[in-house]
Amino acid sequence: KFIWGDDAVVVKYEYERESDNIYGGTYTGTDTYTYSLKDGLVQDCISGSYNDTYSYNSSNRLIKTEFDREDWTINAVWDKDKLVSVRYALEGSPRYSSILTYGETCKKGYFPLISNIIELEEVLFMAHPEIVGIRTNQLPNTYSPDDEEISMTYEYDKEGYISKIKMKNEDGDSDTYTLTWK
């Protein structure tokens, strides 16, 4: 559930999950995240005792996210509208980088999985990537997380929006994302 305000978005996730711990059982709950906005861009996320921060370049593209709760930092490098690399670090030490290559552009809409590539996996950022400066119509051909190359191909609906994204790694494992635009 998204609650929009002039200077904030409150996200409430209600969940039910099976426990993996020795006690087992099903748990329900609600997590609440409050994202503060300035000029339409997320500045930080507050939830419980942590505060994540977001930084942007002069083109309002996300260039850095610092996750306070995990001492995790993500740095994004852009070449105009193309995200060309993402560097991930834990407690200041580099962990790995991803490099992206490109081919075509979206005929309509945008590339919704860029938030996953940057590891901002919240549904909010897939639906509204403009609030973290990552909305782009550039379509990656490949990206290379953690020394692995993943290729991507696309199918379009009759109106020109991406209807399927097929991702395949070097071992032949694949995922298909089916999109419905409203």
Side-chain angles (χ1 to χ4, degrees):
K1 180 177 180 182
F2 305 143
I3 303 166
W4 290 89
D6 290 338
D7 59 358
V9 177
V10 177
V11 180
K12 290 188 178 184
Y13 294 100
E14 294 181 6
Y15 59 87
E16 182 174 312
R17 70 174 185 256
E18 294 290 324
S19 173
D20 291 344
N21 67 27
I22 60 173
Y23 303 109
T26 301
Y27 296 89
T28 60
T30 302
D31 291 333
T32 302
Y33 302 88
T34 302
Y35 296 93
S36 64
L37 302 174
K38 181 179 176 190
D39 299 325
L41 295 171
V42 171
Q43 301 301 303
D44 59 27
C45 172
I46 299 170
S47 180
S49 63
Y50 66 81
N51 183 5
D52 301 336
T53 58
Y54 302 78
S55 304
Y56 303 89
N57 65 17
S58 60
S59 298
N60 291 331
R61 295 281 187 194
L62 179 71
I63 57 169
K64 187 174 187 177
T65 304
E66 296 178 86
F67 297 101
D68 181 42
R69 64 188 177 268
E70 299 170 357
D71 293 327
W72 182 253
T73 301
I74 296 171
N75 292 289
V77 178
W78 295 83
D79 180 7
K80 297 179 182 144
D81 287 339
K82 294 179 181 176
L83 176 68
V84 292
S85 70
V86 183
R87 290 185 300 278
Y88 312 90
L90 182 59
E91 297 175 359
S93 300
R95 183 167 173 217
Y96 63 91
S97 295
S98 290
I99 306 295
L100 291 92
T101 64
Y102 291 87
E104 58 188 301
T105 59
C106 297
K107 296 169 180 67
K108 289 189 175 179
Y110 57 91
F111 178 64
L113 295 185
I114 201 160
S115 62
N116 288 12
I117 290 172
I118 296 180
E119 294 195 9
L120 300 176
E121 294 156 346
E122 293 92 337
V123 173
L124 172 67
F125 300 144
M126 289 179 72
H128 299 282
E130 67 276 6
I131 67 172
V132 281
I134 59 174
R135 187 172 184 157
T136 181
N137 67 350
Q138 304 295 314
L139 299 177
N141 285 339
T142 63
Y143 81 103
S144 58
D146 211 12
D147 296 328
E148 171 185 38
E149 186 169 282
I150 296 174
S151 62
M152 290 177 269
T153 57
Y154 306 89
E155 292 180 20
Y156 299 91
D157 65 18
K158 63 183 177 186
E159 296 176 24
Y161 291 93
I162 300 171
S163 61
K164 288 188 180 188
I165 301 172
K166 296 179 181 179
M167 303 174 79
K168 188 174 184 178
N169 70 12
E170 295 166 333
D171 295 331
D173 300 324
S174 63
D175 285 319
T176 299
Y177 293 85
T178 301
L179 308 175
T180 302
W181 296 83
K182 295 183 178 184

